[in-house]
Amino acid sequence: MAKNRNALNSTRVIAVGRLLLAEFLFFCATTDSTGFGFRNDLDDNLAIAYLAVAALLAIVAWKSWWWDFVLFPLVSSLDILVLLIIILFMNMQIPKYSLIAIAMTSYILLCASVRWTWRTAIIFAIFINIVNILSIIMAELNLSHLIGSTQ
C-alpha cells in the first residue's frame, strides 16, 4: 500500500512540477524585452500552449494514475520538444531563456530517473548535452557570420 501511495505521489509531483515550469515559461515570455504582455510571438504562443497542456496533464495525473502512466512517454517527448524549441530558437534571441532551459533540463532528467531507470536518465542527459553543444555551435556560426558581414 505504501509503495503504491508513493508512486501516486510521484506522478502528482511530476505533474505539478511541469505546471510550475510552464508558469515560469509563461511569466518569462510575457515579460521579455519585446514588450510586457502577450504578443503573437513564438515564445508567447509556446508558453500559452505549454501552460494549457501542463494544466490538463496535472488534472489527468490527479484523476487517473493509469492515464498518466500510459501518456508519460508521449508527455516526456513533449517536454523534450519544448526544451529543443527553447534551446534552438529562443535561447539565442533572449538570454533569460537559458535559465528556463536549465530548469527544464533538470526537470526532464529528474522525471526520467524517477519514472524509468538511471540508464534511461543517462541517455536523456547525453542527448540533451549533444543538443546543447549543437545549439552553441549554431549560435557561434551565426555570430561569426554576422560579424564577418558587418566588416
Side-chain angles (χ1 to χ4, degrees), residues 114-126:
V114 167
R115 283 290 180 98
W116 293 311
T117 63
W118 62 271
R119 291 180 185 184
T120 306
I122 290 174
I123 291 169
F124 274 65
I126 290 169

Side-chain angles (χ1 to χ4, degrees), residues 45-103:
N45 292 329
L46 175 72
I48 198 82
Y50 192 60
L51 183 61
V53 169
L56 178 68
L57 290 171
I59 293 170
V60 167
W62 223 265
K63 297 288 183 184
S64 172
W65 66 267
W66 187 81
W67 276 109
D68 183 59
F69 180 76
V70 168
L71 293 174
F72 189 73
L74 179 66
V75 173
S76 294
S77 301
L78 174 73
D79 291 336
I80 292 173
L81 179 67
V82 169
L83 176 67
L84 292 177
I85 291 171
I86 289 172
I87 289 172
L88 295 176
F89 297 111
M90 290 188 280
N91 198 16
M92 292 182 236
Q93 297 172 4
I94 301 169
K96 72 177 171 182
Y97 282 114
S98 61
L99 180 62
I100 296 172
I102 291 169

Side-chain angles (χ1 to χ4, degrees), residues 16-28 46-55 104:
V16 170
R18 181 179 296 107
L19 185 60
L20 290 173
L21 271 174
E23 289 174 1
F24 182 51
L25 176 63
F26 180 75
F27 175 75
C28 287
L46 175 72
I48 198 82
Y50 192 60
L51 183 61
V53 169
M104 284 202 67

